């Protein structure tokens, strides 16, 4: 039954919706992910990206790192290997396509999450798909927001937490001979110490952990590419030809390549799932589009850079035979492939990378689960503590359990999660485009750092308390008005 549901969701429904949202918003936004690609670096390089307001909210940069911590995980190491094993090298091409279109999807969902965030009594923010569904689509759709929150809790808070623990523990057992029990208990203790400190402690940990793990993995991939420079064009052609059935590729042909590319690509970068918007919403930014641009960049980092690193490590290795594929799969294929390039220590390197990737993802999954609970109850401390204890328990249990059925179940709940979010995004195209136009207009008027004026969007049920305008922002709005008047446009 799980296989039938998975096949229907992933091979038919979700592919159509992902194309509709990704391609549709790309065209309607005039290719926003490419227009503002260089601006991603300017936003992250500006002091605004590191700025927190008087309540100590996450900065734009911290929100980026926390979302990268979630996107970058087992999907980048084990997921890519699975995609190649079952879908052939062509699956990587479709992962790239999902990544490029996913940048637009992520821009839309994270911009909406910022716009519809709500201010809490203690001065913090809450937001995400449940909030933009409830406020953006109106009271009649509040049931969908509730369904989304439950699916988010089940998929990320429980299912994916156990799966990450399992991947890390089995990898450590293979590379170092460490019993899965010890790895599971060690992760449970460390995760417990961090999650009881709340989102700010999680952000501080990921602020250090994510750059180290991403840059380290990128550097080893660059070493591998350097060692195999003459063969890179050959591998690129293999990927492209296999994607369109022009190569005698291992896997289930072009259909399997597309399905595995889309499925594993979405599992890796999460664009369209609505997970990253939960983090994007709590950042302090002057305009919702700012965080949309930054989060589009996190998809690029995940899929176009880190997934490609794993793909080239595998396809350039002796462990992968273009005629016969590989006898092993999953994380073991990545481990053997890297060991083939750099020696036996490569197997240990992959295990350590997976530990860091999986650990950061568990912290991220915890926050998503907490945010889904918060949609139903904002002040039930007992409920949150029970959830924290459950997450700690899942770290230990997941490490010692064969999770084949759990993985299949998580794929189904992830599919329904994406279904709910993508339907909402299609219905919220107009507000998303309107917010983007406001950002575009200010850029054209010469405003270097656009500011969001919630009063201008009062008809969208946006919480004005979440968009208090600071003195320097008021000055920029004044400049915007003067620039609009000078250009003959009506001052808004």
């Amino acid at each position: 039954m799980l296989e039938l549901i998975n096949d229907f969701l992933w091979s038919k429904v979700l592919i159509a919706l992902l194309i509709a949202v990704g391609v549709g918003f790309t065209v309607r936004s005039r290719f926003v992910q490419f227009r503002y690609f260089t601006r991603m670096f300017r936003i992250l390089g500006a002091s605004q990206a590191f700025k927190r307001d008087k309540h100590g909210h996450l900065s734009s940069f911290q929100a980026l790192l926390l979302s990268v911590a979630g996107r970058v995980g087992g999907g980048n190491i084990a997921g890519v290997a699975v995609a190649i094993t079952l879908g052939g090298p062509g699956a990587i091409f479709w992962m790239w396509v999902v990544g490029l279109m996913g940048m637009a999807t992520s821009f839309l969902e994270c911009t909406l999450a910022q716009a519809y965030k709500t201010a809490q009594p203690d001065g913090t923010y809450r937001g995400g798909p449940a909030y933009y569904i409830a406020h953006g689509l109106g009271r009649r759709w509040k049931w969908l927001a509730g369904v989304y929150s439950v699916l988010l809790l089940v998929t990320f808070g429980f299912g994916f937490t156990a799966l990450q623990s399992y991947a890390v523990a089995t990898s450590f057992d293979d590379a170092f001979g460490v019993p899965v029990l010890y790895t599971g208990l060690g992760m449970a203790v460390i995760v417990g110490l961090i999650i009881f400190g709340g989102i700010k402690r999680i952000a501080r940990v990921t602020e250090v952990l994510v750059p180290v793990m991403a840059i380290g993995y990128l550097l080893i991939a660059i070493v591998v590419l350097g060692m195999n420079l003459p063969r890179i064009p050959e591998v690129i052609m293999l990927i492209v030809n296999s994607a369109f059935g022009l190569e005698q590729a291992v896997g289930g042909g072009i259909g399997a390549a597309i399905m595995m590319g889309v499925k594993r690509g979405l599992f890796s970068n999460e664009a369209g799932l609505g997970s990253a918007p939960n983090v994007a919403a709590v950042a302090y930014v002057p305009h919702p589009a700012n965080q949309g641009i930054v989060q589009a960049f996190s998809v690029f980092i995940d899929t176009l850079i880190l997934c490609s690193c794993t793909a080239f490590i595998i396809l350039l290795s002796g462990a992968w035979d273009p005629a016969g594929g590989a006898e092993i799969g999953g994380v073991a294929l990545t481990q053997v492939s890297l060991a083939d390039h750099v020696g036996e220590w490569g197997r240990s390197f992959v295990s350590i990378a997976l530990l860091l990737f999986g650990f950061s993802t568990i912290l991220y999954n915890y926050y998503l689960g907490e945010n889904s609970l918060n949609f139903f109850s904002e002040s039930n401390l007992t409920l949150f503590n029970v959830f924290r204890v459950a997450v700690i328990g899942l770290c230990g249990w997941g490490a010692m359990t064969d999770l084949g059925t759990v993985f299949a179940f998580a794929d189904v709940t992830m599919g329904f999660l994406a279904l709910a979010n993508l339907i909402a995004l299609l219905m919220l195209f107009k507000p998303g485009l309107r917010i983007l136009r406001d950002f575009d207009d200010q850029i054209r008027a010469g405003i270097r750092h656009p500011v969001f004026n919630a009063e201008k969007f009062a008809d969208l049920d946006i919480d004005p308390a979440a968009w208090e305008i600071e003195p320097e922002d008021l000055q920029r709005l004044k400049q915007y008005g003067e620039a609009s008047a000078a250009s003959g446009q009506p001052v808004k």
Side-chain angles (χ1 to χ4, degrees):
M1 179 60 71
L2 290 175
E3 285 181 10
L4 284 173
I5 297 172
N6 262 327
D7 181 62
F8 177 71
L9 277 174
W10 291 101
S11 64
K12 298 176 178 65
V13 179
L14 289 178
I15 287 179
L17 283 172
L18 282 166
I19 291 172
V21 176
V23 176
F25 194 76
T26 294
V27 174
R28 293 284 301 276
S29 66
R30 295 180 296 115
F31 298 85
V32 64
Q33 69 269 50
F34 305 117
R35 282 197 294 124
Y36 285 129
F37 187 79
T38 56
R39 191 172 183 85
M40 297 174 190
F41 300 97
R42 290 206 298 275
I43 288 173
L44 291 173
S47 59
Q48 286 282 339
F50 303 91
K51 182 179 178 182
R52 303 185 193 185
D53 71 347
K54 61 188 177 184
H55 299 297
H57 295 122
L58 299 190
S59 67
S60 181
F61 183 69
Q62 283 181 314
L64 168 69
L65 292 181
L66 189 52
S67 65
V68 170
R71 296 186 200 274
V72 176
N76 299 80
I77 296 178
V80 172
V82 169
I84 292 174
T85 304
L86 300 181
I92 303 305
F93 177 85
W94 297 110
M95 286 184 79
W96 290 340
V97 172
V98 166
L100 289 172
M101 294 304 102
M103 289 172 72
T105 304
S106 189
F107 174 92
L108 174 61
E109 62 184 358
C110 292
T111 297
L112 289 170
Q114 266 289 328
Y116 286 102
K117 67 187 178 185
T118 60
Q120 303 301 298
D122 63 355
T124 59
Y125 301 139
R126 286 286 177 181
Y131 293 81
Y132 59 65
I133 290 171
H135 294 277
L137 297 183
R139 215 169 263 235
R140 288 181 305 167
W141 290 90
K142 198 164 184 181
W143 64 270
L144 183 61
V147 169
Y148 182 89
S149 294
V150 171
L151 288 170
L152 185 69
L153 177 65
V154 171
T155 305
F156 284 90
F158 296 130
F160 286 172
T161 294
L163 291 171
Q164 291 290 344
S165 179
Y166 174 76
V168 171
T170 52
S171 175
F172 252 55
D173 185 29
D174 177 68
F176 304 111
V178 177
V180 292
L181 172 63
Y182 297 154
T183 304
L185 290 176
M187 289 185 67
V189 170
I190 298 171
V191 166
L193 292 173
I194 295 171
I195 64 177
F196 272 95
I199 180 62
K200 292 176 185 177
R201 183 179 294 176
I202 294 172
R204 284 196 295 272
V205 171
T206 55
E207 203 168 16
V208 175
L209 187 61
V210 171
V212 170
M213 71 183 191
I215 293 171
Y217 197 64
L218 181 59
L219 287 176
I220 196 68
I222 291 171
V223 169
V224 170
L225 291 175
M227 294 168 63
N228 297 273
L229 212 53
R231 292 187 55 213
I232 293 175
E234 169 195 332
V235 170
I236 293 173
M237 289 306 299
L238 173 66
I239 290 171
V240 174
N241 288 337
S242 299
F244 296 97
L246 303 176
E247 190 84 30
Q248 191 66 31
V250 177
I254 186 170
I258 293 173
M259 191 172 84
M260 289 308 302
V262 171
K263 192 174 178 180
R264 293 300 116 198
L266 179 57
F267 176 74
S268 177
N269 66 48
E270 300 178 12
L273 280 181
S275 50
N278 290 275
V279 176
V282 303
Y284 174 77
V285 293
H287 196 286
N290 266 55
Q291 197 60 19
I293 293 168
V294 167
Q295 293 298 330
F297 185 53
S298 74
V299 174
F300 182 85
I301 293 171
D302 175 271
T303 309
L304 277 298
I305 296 179
L306 293 175
C307 283
S308 297
C309 288
T310 301
F312 278 98
I313 286 171
I314 292 171
L315 296 176
L316 286 167
S317 75
W320 171 262
D321 178 6
E327 294 181 359
I328 53 176
V331 68
L333 175 57
T334 309
Q335 287 177 311
V336 171
S337 298
L338 187 57
D340 183 67
H341 291 294
V342 299
E344 194 57 30
W345 69 268
R347 187 189 298 269
S348 302
F349 180 88
V350 171
S351 291
I352 293 170
L354 189 61
L355 170 66
L356 296 177
F357 286 9
F359 179 69
S360 65
T361 302
I362 287 172
L363 297 180
Y364 170 80
N365 290 346
Y366 161 76
Y367 176 70
L368 296 182
E370 182 188 276
N371 204 43
S372 64
L373 286 176
N374 197 81
F375 182 75
F376 298 107
S377 175
E378 295 180 359
S379 57
N380 192 330
L381 187 59
T382 302
L383 181 64
F384 286 107
N385 284 334
V386 167
F387 174 59
R388 287 166 182 159
V389 170
V391 167
I392 294 167
L394 282 167
C395 287
W397 175 79
M400 299 177 286
T401 308
D402 183 359
L403 295 173
T405 304
V406 176
F407 209 123
F409 179 73
D411 268 352
V412 170
T413 57
M414 180 172 68
F416 283 117
L417 192 71
L419 183 64
N421 187 53
L422 290 168
I423 289 171
L425 292 179
L426 281 172
M427 297 173 72
L428 290 169
F429 256 37
K430 284 186 177 179
L433 288 168
R434 184 174 158 191
I435 293 165
L436 174 59
R437 277 196 299 271
D438 179 69
F439 187 84
D440 286 338
D441 289 345
Q442 292 189 52
I443 292 292
R444 278 195 294 269
I447 307 301
R448 290 183 61 194
H449 302 292
V451 180
F452 187 66
N453 183 2
E455 292 180 4
K456 187 177 170 184
F457 298 87
D459 58 308
L460 296 185
D461 192 23
I462 285 172
D463 181 6
W467 291 101
E468 293 179 0
I469 301 178
E470 296 190 0
E472 61 267 32
D473 293 336
L474 275 173
Q475 181 61 30
R476 264 182 282 168
L477 280 177
K478 183 181 177 184
Q479 291 172 347
Y480 177 37
E482 290 169 354
S484 298
S487 65
Q489 300 290 330
V491 179
K492 298 180 181 178

